[in-house]
């Protein structure tokens, strides 16, 4: 029994070491005639390997495979959803009181993995896994979700803080940066749950114009980042209503066509490591800068504005602000001491 439990943990570490992007919640249950592996996983190959090794380890024993491969088959074809609220909080557990770990904005496509009451365990376009309440979502099958994503019958448009109203002028939704709607090109918009609205203020950028308006280059990315100055810090946030360090870096880069993982610990694996140089002089605008408060673990990320300049969302600053890594303002000596490495993703 003990050696099989050790095997389960070993396979988990090999195939699903990061629970934020992969699920391997497998248990060993004793049975009268042997054992059974139970639980859920997104990694089917891991279960196959677990069974192979378990049978080799305990020849002649009966080992049943009762692990549910996600998405859960009970969901049928409806294993996709599009966020229909301006912002959908992502929680660590299926409970509104559980820690918010991230957010998805309106128009985001999610894969539904499992449900528990009114909650779905989801995986987003960035691979991040968490729990979202059913009230924030418009579920459907893959064809429907893909059709929405391509704005069938219209064109996809991306919000830069747009406000949409109905025919009476009543506000329907206030969209954060990066939210996506379907547009007919004449100011009329369609939301994932079928509601129609008109643009009242702010801006909707046709998705086809994003690349020219927001190129994947350092200076334009820093210019977009500066438009977030003054945004308050919020753990798990990804919008100008409140944003954490990695959510800020991810949201700004996504607008410029640079996909990044959700958390700083995951972002540090992206791109190429670069030497900062004396006084950080080798850093370019848009480089990712990583910091730690805990040895061996990345706990903070920001964007280089070039050289020693930094823009980031920090709790110590109260939100999005700029700092200088060679300066002596309140936070800056601490940032210098905490600096770990820089990564170039452009």
């Amino acid at each position: 029994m003990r050696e099989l439990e050790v095997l389960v943990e070993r396979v988990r570490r090999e195939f699903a070491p990061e629970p934020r992007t992969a699920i391997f919640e497998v248990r060993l249950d004793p049975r009268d005639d042997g054992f059974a592996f139970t639980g859920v996983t997104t990694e089917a190959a891991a279960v196959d390997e677990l069974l192979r090794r378990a049978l080799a380890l305990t020849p002649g024993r009966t080992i049943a495979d009762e692990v549910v491969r996600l998405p859960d088959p009970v969901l049928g074809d409806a294993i996709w959803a599009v966020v229909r609220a301006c912002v959908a909080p992502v929680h660590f557990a299926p409970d509104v009181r559980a820690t918010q770990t991230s957010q998805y904005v309106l128009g985001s496509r999610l894969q539904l993995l499992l449900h528990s009451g009114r909650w779905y365990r989801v995986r987003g376009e960035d691979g991040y896994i968490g729990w979202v309440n059913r009230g924030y979502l418009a579920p459907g099958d893959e064809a429907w979700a893909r059709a929405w994503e391509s704005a069938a019958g219209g064109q996809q448009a991306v919000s830069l803080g747009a406000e949409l109203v109905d025919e009476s002028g009543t506000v329907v939704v206030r969209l954060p940066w990066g939210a996506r709607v379907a547009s007919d090109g004449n100011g009329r918009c369609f939301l994932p749950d079928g509601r129609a609205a008109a643009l009242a203020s702010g801006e909707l950028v046709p998705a086809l114009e994003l690349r020219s308006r927001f190129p994947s280059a350092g200076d334009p990315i820093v210019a977009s980042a500066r438009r977030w100055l003054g945004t308050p810090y919020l753990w798990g946030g990804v919008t100008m209503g409140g944003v954490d360090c990695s959510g800020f870096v991810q949201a700004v880069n996504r607008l410029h066509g640079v996909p990044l993982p959700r958390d700083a610990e995951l972002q540090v694996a992206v791109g190429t490591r670069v030497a900062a140089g004396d006084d950080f002089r080798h850093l370019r605008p848009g480089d990712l800068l990583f910091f730690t408060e805990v040895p061996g673990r990345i706990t903070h990320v920001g964007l280089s504005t070039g050289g020693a300049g930094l823009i980031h969302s920090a709790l110590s600053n109260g939100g999005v602000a700029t700092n200088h890594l060679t300066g002596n303002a309140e936070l800056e000596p601490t940032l210098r001491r905490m600096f770990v490495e820089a990564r170039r993703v452009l």
Side-chain angles (χ1 to χ4, degrees), residues 23-285:
I23 297 170
F24 189 77
E25 297 169 0
V26 175
R27 302 177 302 277
L28 180 67
D29 290 342
R31 298 290 167 84
D32 291 339
D33 58 346
F35 299 95
F37 289 119
T38 63
V40 296
T41 186
T42 54
E43 312 304 305
V47 180
D48 294 340
E49 180 64 12
L50 175 62
L51 289 167
R52 186 188 69 78
R53 295 186 193 179
L55 290 170
L57 194 62
T58 57
R61 302 295 295 272
T62 299
I63 301 178
D65 174 10
E66 298 177 8
V67 178
V68 176
R69 276 67 161 176
L70 302 177
D72 192 337
V74 303
L75 295 174
D77 292 332
I79 60 170
W80 297 92
V82 177
V83 175
R84 69 186 188 96
C86 60
V87 179
V90 181
H91 293 268
F92 179 75
D95 188 326
V96 71
R97 296 164 296 184
T99 301
Q100 175 181 266
T101 57
S102 190
Q103 297 170 329
Y104 288 113
V105 297
L106 188 144
S108 300
R109 175 172 50 85
L110 309 178
Q111 185 182 33
L112 306 181
L113 302 174
L114 189 67
H115 78 93
S116 175
R118 291 284 295 174
W119 292 81
Y120 282 108
R121 201 171 192 181
V122 306
R123 176 158 46 193
E125 297 166 46
D126 57 1
Y128 205 72
I129 292 172
W131 291 90
V132 175
N133 191 277
R134 169 71 173 79
Y136 294 103
L137 306 176
D141 60 20
E142 183 172 7
W144 170 82
R146 298 286 185 185
W148 160 257
E149 194 170 46
S150 62
Q155 59 181 323
Q156 191 179 86
V158 178
S159 166
L160 296 183
E163 184 176 274
L164 306 183
V165 297
D166 62 18
E167 293 180 354
S168 68
T170 301
V171 175
V172 174
V173 66
R174 294 182 175 92
L175 297 173
W177 269 45
R180 303 195 296 261
V181 299
S183 170
D184 65 3
N186 296 311
R188 187 169 173 79
C189 306
F190 303 93
L191 304 181
D193 56 8
R195 289 177 293 168
L199 178 64
S201 63
E203 186 179 7
L204 289 173
V205 181
L208 295 176
E209 296 178 14
L210 278 181
R211 182 170 293 184
S212 59
R213 290 266 314 262
F214 298 95
S216 303
D219 287 330
I221 287 175
V222 170
S224 291
R226 290 187 184 278
R227 296 176 68 175
W228 289 64
L229 286 169
T231 297
Y233 184 90
L234 175 66
W235 179 264
V238 302
T239 77
M240 288 186 181
V243 69
D244 63 20
C245 65
S246 55
F248 169 64
V249 167
Q250 184 193 48
V252 171
N253 275 275
R254 182 173 58 234
L255 186 66
H256 288 261
V258 183
L260 292 174
R262 175 58 180 90
D263 289 347
E265 284 183 284
L266 305 176
Q267 293 170 354
V268 75
V270 178
T272 303
R273 187 171 186 171
V274 293
D278 296 337
D279 294 333
F280 303 93
R281 61 190 177 90
H282 293 323
L283 298 178
R284 299 177 186 170

